[in-house]
């Protein structure tokens, strides 16, 4: 197993997922407090979906409960944004550790333009 520093995909955690998605529910588009958010599997794990960055989005408890064990189209719900795998530089930012302004400037310069961390 490769060392953590060289991992191709960063580890998926709820705090990093919610930070990647800016605490916005992917279904209703509203901003929520961390306690009101859940890790939502677009394709449910019970139906073969993976617990991965590309299958997980942030959802409020209400939307997650409404979708249940269905695919979004089966629940007549659509995604407001698409999931993506954060780069290693994005991962450093998403961890929420204290980052000095010059370090943040360096990290953001290495983050892809389409990243939600730029806005």
């Amino acid at each position: 197993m490769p060392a953590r520093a060289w991992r191709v995909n960063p580890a998926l955690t709820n705090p990093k997922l919610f930070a990647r998605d800016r605490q916005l529910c992917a279904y209703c588009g509203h901003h929520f407090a961390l306690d009101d958010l859940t890790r939502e599997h677009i394709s449910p794990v019970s139906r073969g979906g993976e617990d991965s960055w590309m299958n997980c989005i942030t959802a409020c408890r209400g939307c997650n409960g409404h979708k249940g064990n269905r695919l979004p189209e089966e629940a007549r719900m659509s995604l407001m944004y698409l999931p993506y795998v954060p780069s290693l530089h994005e991962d450093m930012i998403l961890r929420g550790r204290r980052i000095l302004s010059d370090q943040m400037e360096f990290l953001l310069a290495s983050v892809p333009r389409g990243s939600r961390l730029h806005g």
Side-chain angles (χ1 to χ4, degrees):
M1 181 173 179
R4 282 183 26 194
W6 301 109
R7 184 180 290 161
V8 175
N9 290 335
L12 174 62
T13 66
N14 283 354
K16 290 193 295 185
L17 176 69
F18 300 160
R20 179 199 72 178
D21 296 346
R22 296 180 160 229
Q23 294 180 238
L24 294 175
C25 174
Y27 295 116
C28 69
H30 293 114
H31 185 268
F32 289 89
L34 292 173
D35 289 345
D36 296 322
L37 296 173
T38 62
R39 180 188 303 194
E40 158 58 9
H41 296 87
I42 300 166
S43 178
V45 173
S46 64
R47 295 176 65 177
E50 295 182 2
D51 190 37
S52 68
W53 285 105
M54 292 304 291
N55 190 45
C56 291
I57 46 88
T58 298
C60 67
R61 294 186 185 282
C63 286
N64 195 339
H66 176 76
K67 179 180 166 284
N69 195 34
R70 301 177 285 181
L71 297 172
E73 53 273 15
E74 292 170 346
R76 292 192 169 94
M77 299 172 81
S78 57
L79 294 171
M80 307 280 284
Y81 55 81
L82 296 175
Y84 70 93
V85 178
S87 70
L88 293 177
H89 287 113
E90 285 175 292
D91 183 51
M92 289 180 197
I93 296 168
L94 293 173
R95 289 181 200 169
R97 296 191 176 138
R98 296 178 106 186
I99 299 173
L100 300 175
S101 62
D102 61 331
Q103 294 169 326
M104 182 63 81
E105 191 176 312
F106 170 79
L107 290 172
L108 282 173
S110 303
V111 168
R113 285 184 200 258
S115 170
R116 290 187 198 112
L117 300 182
H118 276 296

